[in-house]
C-alpha cells in the first residue's frame, strides 16, 4: 500500500498559516474588493468542511485504508482547514466578512454523505479540481501579486491533494476482485463525471460573472478542469500499473515561497 509514502508527504508539508502580503488591499482594485471577498467566502466555507471524514477515519472499515492511509486522509483534511484559515485572512484583508452558510456548501455536503466514504472522497476530489482552476484564474486575472502568491500556494497544495486522490482511488480499485475492477472503474468514472458536471455548473453560475470580468472564459475553465484530471490519468481505464505506482512518487515537497508570510 502507498499510505506510508503519502503520510511522509503530508507530515513533511506541515507549515504555519501564511498571511497575505501587506499590499493586498491596495493592489486589488477597489471595485473588486466586495465581489472578490464574497466569491472567496463561498470557497472558504468549502475548505472548512470534511470534519465527518476526519472523525470517521480511525475506525472506518473501507478496505482501501491501512493505518498510514487513514492518517494521511486526516492530514489531507487538516490541510484543507489550513486553506480555509488562509482564505479567511485574504477575505478580511479585502475588508470582507466571513460567511456562515451558502447553498453551494450545503449541496456539496449532502453529496458527500451519499453512498459512503468513496463518494465523499470523489466529491472532495472534484472540489480540488474546481478549486485549482478557480484560484489560478483569480491569481492570473486580478493583477495583485499579494493575492496571486496566496492563491497559487493554495492551488499548488490542492494539486497535491488531487494526486493523493488519484492514488487513493487506484488503491481502492485494486482492493476489489480482479474480474470486477473494470466495471468498478466505469462506475467510479460515471460518478466522477456526474459530480464534475454539477460542480462546473455551480462554478459558472455562482462565480462566472467575476471570473469572466477577470478575463476567464467558459471554454478555458472547462478545459483547465479536464486537464487537471487527464494529466493525472485520473481513473483512466488504460492506466498501467507502473503509472499507478508513480502517482505516489511524483510530488517532491514544495519549497516554502520566499514571499510567504507565516504567522508568528
Amino acid at each position: 500500500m502507498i499510505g506510508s509514502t503519502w503520510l511522509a508527504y503530508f507530515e513533511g508539508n506541515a507549515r504555519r498559516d501564511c498571511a497575505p502580503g501587506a499590499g493586498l488591499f491596495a493592489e486589488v482594485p477597489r471595485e473588486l474588493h466586495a465581489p472578490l471577498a464574497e466569491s472567496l467566502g463561498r470557497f472558504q466555507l468549502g475548505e472548512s468542511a470534511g470534519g465527518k471524514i476526519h472523525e470517521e477515519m480511525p475506525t472506518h472499515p473501507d478496505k482501501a485504508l491501512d493505518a498510514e492511509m487513514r492518517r494521511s486522509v486526516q492530514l489531507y483534511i487538516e490541510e484543507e482547514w489550513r486553506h480555509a484559515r488562509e482564505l479567511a485572512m485574504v477575505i478580511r484583508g479585502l475588508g470582507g466578512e466571513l460567511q456562515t452558510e451558502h447553498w453551494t456548501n450545503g449541496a456539496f455536503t449532502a453529496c458527500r454523505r451519499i453512498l459512503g466514504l468513496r463518494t465523499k472522497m470523489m466529491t472532495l476530489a472534484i472540489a480540488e479540481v474546481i478549486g485549482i482552476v478557480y484560484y489560478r484564474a483569480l491569481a492570473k486575472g486580478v493583477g495583485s501579486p499579494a493575492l496571486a502568491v496566496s492563491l497559487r500556494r493554495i492551488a499548488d497544495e490542492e494539486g497535491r491533494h488531487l494526486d493523493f486522490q488519484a492514488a487513493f482511488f487506484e488503491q481502492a480499485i485494486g482492493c476489489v476482485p480482479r474480474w470486477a475492477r473494470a466495471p468498478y472503474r466505469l462506475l467510479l468514472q460515471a460518478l466522477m463525471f456526474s459530480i464534475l458536471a454539477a460542480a462546473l455548473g455551480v462554478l459558472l453560475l455562482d462565480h462566472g460573472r467575476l471570473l469572466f470580468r477577470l478575463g476567464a472564459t467558459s471554454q478555458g475553465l472547462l478545459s483547465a478542469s479536464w486537464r487537471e484530471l487527464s494529466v493525472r490519468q485520473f481513473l483512466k481505464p488504460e492506466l498501467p500499473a507502473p503509472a499507478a505506482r508513480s502517482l505516489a512518487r511524483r510530488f517532491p515537497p514544495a519549497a516554502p515561497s520566499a514571499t510567504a508570510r507565516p504567522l508568528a
Side-chain angles (χ1 to χ4, degrees):
M1 291 202 175
I2 60 172
S4 58
T5 304
W6 279 101
L7 181 57
Y9 165 71
F10 283 116
E11 289 178 338
N13 199 49
R15 59 173 177 78
R16 292 178 292 170
D17 298 354
C18 290
L24 175 69
F25 189 87
E27 291 170 359
V28 176
R30 186 62 62 91
E31 65 273 15
L32 288 179
H33 283 194
L36 189 55
E38 182 180 8
S39 179
L40 285 169
R42 295 169 190 172
F43 273 80
Q44 193 272 339
L45 276 176
E47 300 280 8
S48 303
K52 190 68 173 176
I53 298 175
H54 190 281
E55 178 185 340
E56 292 175 345
M57 265 306 102
T59 58
H60 200 285
D62 194 296
K63 293 181 180 179
L65 299 171
D66 58 10
E68 290 83 5
M69 184 63 83
R70 292 175 194 278
R71 185 57 184 152
S72 296
V73 172
Q74 287 185 313
L75 293 177
Y76 159 42
I77 298 297
E78 289 171 20
E79 281 198 4
E80 293 290 286
W81 294 343
R82 184 173 70 209
H83 295 168
R85 296 191 299 270
E86 292 179 340
L87 287 175
M89 288 187 279
V90 171
I91 292 164
R92 293 190 180 106
L94 293 169
E97 298 291 333
L98 300 185
Q99 300 176 28
T100 57
E101 61 181 3
H102 189 262
W103 73 267
T104 53
N105 187 58
F108 276 99
T109 298
C111 186
R112 284 197 304 271
R113 291 176 178 171
I114 299 172
L115 300 178
L117 175 67
R118 295 183 190 180
T119 301
K120 295 176 185 178
M121 293 292 284
M122 183 67 75
T123 305
L124 287 175
I126 297 305
E128 303 290 0
V129 173
I130 299 301
I132 293 167
V133 171
Y134 169 80
Y135 296 136
R136 288 180 179 164
L138 292 187
K140 179 180 178 181
V142 173
S144 163
L147 182 67
V149 167
S150 291
L151 295 185
R152 285 176 180 148
R153 182 190 308 117
I154 293 174
D156 288 346
E157 290 186 341
E158 300 278 79
R160 304 296 175 84
H161 294 175
L162 194 54
D163 290 333
F164 172 63
Q165 289 274 17
F168 170 80
F169 278 105
E170 288 303 319
Q171 180 157 296
I173 291 170
C175 290
V176 304
R178 185 173 298 275
W179 63 267
R181 291 176 188 174
Y184 184 56
R185 188 184 293 274
L186 290 173
L187 178 64
L188 289 174
Q189 287 174 334
L191 179 64
M192 177 186 75
F193 286 124
S194 298
I195 298 173
L196 178 62
L200 285 168
V202 169
L203 178 68
L204 295 176
L205 176 67
D206 221 27
H207 306 273
R209 179 178 297 182
L210 174 63
L211 292 170
F212 300 153
R213 182 176 178 179
L214 297 175
T217 65
S218 297
Q219 183 60 45
L221 295 170
L222 295 174
S223 297
S225 298
W226 178 246
R227 187 163 55 248
E228 292 301 324
L229 292 169
S230 62
V231 74
R232 293 172 173 83
Q233 294 283 308
F234 199 97
L235 292 178
K236 282 291 188 74
E238 67 272 22
L239 184 68
R245 290 193 297 270
S246 75
L247 285 170
R249 305 187 185 100
R250 57 170 297 172
F251 46 87
S257 170
T259 52
R261 297 176 59 243
L263 294 180

